[in-house]
Amino acid sequence: EVHLVESGGGLVQPGGSLRLSCAASGFTFSTYSMTWVRQAPGQGLQWLSYISGSSGIIYYADSVKGRFTISRDNTKNSLYLQMNSLRAEDTAIYYCARDMGVTGADDYWGQGTLVTVSS
Amino acid sequence: QSVLAQPPSASGTPGQRVTISCSGSSSNIGSIGVNWYQQVPGTAPKLLIYNDNERPSGVPDRFSGSKSGTSASLAISGLQSEDEADYYCAVWDGSLESRLFGGGTKLTVL
């Protein structure tokens, strides 16, 4: 059974940094692209970043380009999101998801981890 | 304001058929398959439809997707109380090199 478990969220001051992790199990992690999506309180879904199975292809949303870095360690079946220069508007639940490889559809999602940026 | 336009709300009574629209452009919906997600408040999104009209295993055939030009639609037939949720369309935009989500539609079962 596919499982995705995010961790690393918490309270951070504006301008600070945080590294999110997503532990994957139940599938051959290296053969799937992965994505990060967030949802601010009471708001809709916002796509953040995509990474291919080999890490050879990476995309970012304009809102996080230059501040967030996606990466993965296929030996550890783990996905990461390094978040720097955090702003209040980055406060959200952050989800990792598996890209099923068809039209960018994410077929499995983690439960999410909450990031709160506040002084 | 989202690049993909969805109505903010929709409603129906049990047993009815409702549709939710998603309007985009030639660089997104007009070029590649559309995906739809269902999100019950407090839970993670769930893939409902991918590649315009395909259902993942386990999704009831009451849910169907369609597309015409730069607009897509999600139809839910035989509406049930458990269908009350937020629904999002999503698609890759080749011009922006970015995945887009619609603003979401809150479906209320009256």
Side-chain angles (χ1 to χ4, degrees):
Chain A
E1 187 181 357
V2 173
H3 272 117
L4 298 171
V5 180
E6 302 93 338
S7 60
L11 175 64
V12 61
Q13 292 188 336
S17 298
L18 214 54
R19 188 197 197 205
L20 305 183
S21 299
C22 171
S25 60
F27 64 102
T28 305
F29 182 68
S30 62
T31 63
Y32 285 87
S33 300
M34 300 292 293
T35 65
W36 285 100
V37 174
R38 72 183 179 186
Q39 186 169 36
Q43 302 300 308
L45 302 173
Q46 181 187 17
W47 172 82
L48 297 178
S49 186
Y50 162 100
I51 186 168
S52 63
S54 65
S55 302
I57 301 173
I58 289 175
Y59 295 108
Y60 295 100
D62 285 344
S63 58
V64 303
K65 201 174 292 182
R67 297 190 301 126
F68 290 10
T69 301
I70 191 171
S71 64
R72 63 191 295 161
D73 185 337
N74 289 340
T75 66
K76 296 181 178 180
N77 289 344
S78 292
L79 174 72
Y80 306 102
L81 187 67
Q82 176 67 43
M83 305 186 296
N84 299 329
S85 303
L86 284 163
R87 309 163 180 166
E89 53 264 37
D90 295 318
T91 294
I93 296 173
Y94 285 72
Y95 296 100
C96 66
R98 187 183 84 166
D99 185 320
M100 66 183 294
V102 179
T103 64
D106 294 319
D107 59 351
Y108 286 93
W109 295 63
Q111 84 290 346
T113 186
L114 177 63
V115 172
T116 303
V117 184
S118 175
S119 55
Chain B
Q1 193 166 348
S2 303
V3 175
L4 301 181
Q6 291 183 240
S9 63
S11 63
T13 56
Q16 266 191 333
R17 181 178 187 270
V18 298
T19 61
I20 296 171
S21 62
C22 177
S23 178
S25 68
S26 58
S27 65
N28 44 66
I29 292 179
S31 302
I32 194 170
V34 177
N35 309 309
W36 290 90
Y37 298 89
Q38 177 193 59
Q39 186 181 33
V40 174
T43 69
K46 170 189 174 183
L47 180 63
L48 212 54
I49 297 289
Y50 66 97
N51 197 22
D52 296 337
N53 54 23
E54 300 189 59
R55 281 186 308 276
S57 173
V59 173
D61 59 7
R62 301 187 297 105
F63 295 91
S64 62
S66 63
K67 186 172 78 176
S68 177
T70 59
S71 291
S73 291
L74 171 71
I76 308 172
S77 59
L79 198 62
Q80 300 178 4
S81 58
E82 66 206 52
D83 299 332
E84 191 161 283
D86 296 318
Y87 293 84
Y88 296 90
C89 58
V91 68
W92 177 260
D93 189 297
S95 295
L96 300 175
E97 287 195 331
S98 177
R99 191 180 298 177
L100 305 175
F101 281 100
T105 298
K106 182 177 182 60
L107 175 64
T108 301
V109 180
L110 302 170

